[in-house]
Amino acid sequence: GELEGGHLGPVKWVAFSPDGRHILTSSPASEVAGSEAYALLSSPESRQSIGRRLPHEAAKGRPVFSADGSIVTTFTSAVALVWDVRREPELRGELRHQTAVLSAAFSGDGRLVTTTEGGTAHVWSARTRVEVGLPLHHGAPDGSLNPVDFAVFTHDGSRILTLAADG
């Protein structure tokens, strides 16, 4: 069935929290519906949205849950927004970038989050929202940077795999 208080336009992304207690959906901006791009946190049991709309430019990538489902990231332009969603969504911080954020992923233990922009992946502390270590550049053989489309942690969080348009 449909979620009450849901999206005004089409839904681009959908995900269940790891514990199945929440659904996270996102919609692009819609001139027809007169809305900005946003994400919604909802309860699959009550079919009601929880709290307010979370700013999210759906064309940039999908919003993601941490492994325990307590944290969500959404993107607006060159910022990844970190939300505590244990109750109603509450903004906990911003991860600032130079260009548009393309993706985010949490480590298995939820301590780290990686974000991608341009030819670079960044690793952040999910708790303090401070960048950990140096940015990881995805370079081409000619020395130019290829856009990093996605990055993911190994289960134990000890390594990160990046994916760029060049493979």
Side-chain angles (χ1 to χ4, degrees), residues 92-109:
R92 290 294 186 188
E94 300 178 348
L95 309 177
R96 297 212 169 264
H97 297 73
Q98 297 298 313
T99 61
V101 179
L102 301 174
S103 73
F106 285 91
S107 60
D109 61 9

Side-chain angles (χ1 to χ4, degrees), residues 13-38:
W13 297 102
V14 62
F16 273 100
S17 61
D19 61 9
R21 293 182 43 224
H22 295 109
I23 298 172
L24 186 62
T25 54
S26 67
S27 289
S30 171
E31 290 181 21
V32 174
S35 69
E36 298 291 323
Y38 60 93

Side-chain angles (χ1 to χ4, degrees), residues 50-125:
I50 301 168
R52 64 188 180 105
R53 293 177 180 170
L54 310 178
H56 180 72
E57 293 181 13
K60 304 258 188 269
R62 64 184 177 89
V64 294
F65 282 101
S66 62
D68 68 359
S70 68
I71 302 172
V72 165
T73 59
T74 62
F75 318 130
T76 62
S77 188
V79 178
L81 302 171
V82 179
W83 302 89
D84 182 330
V85 295
R86 287 176 282 198
R87 293 175 198 81
E88 285 196 17
E90 181 180 346
L91 184 61
R92 290 294 186 188
E94 300 178 348
L95 309 177
R96 297 212 169 264
H97 297 73
Q98 297 298 313
T99 61
V101 179
L102 301 174
S103 73
F106 285 91
S107 60
D109 61 9
R111 291 183 317 108
L112 300 172
V113 61
T114 181
T115 56
T116 62
E117 67 166 331
T120 305
H122 301 272
V123 180
W124 309 82
S125 164

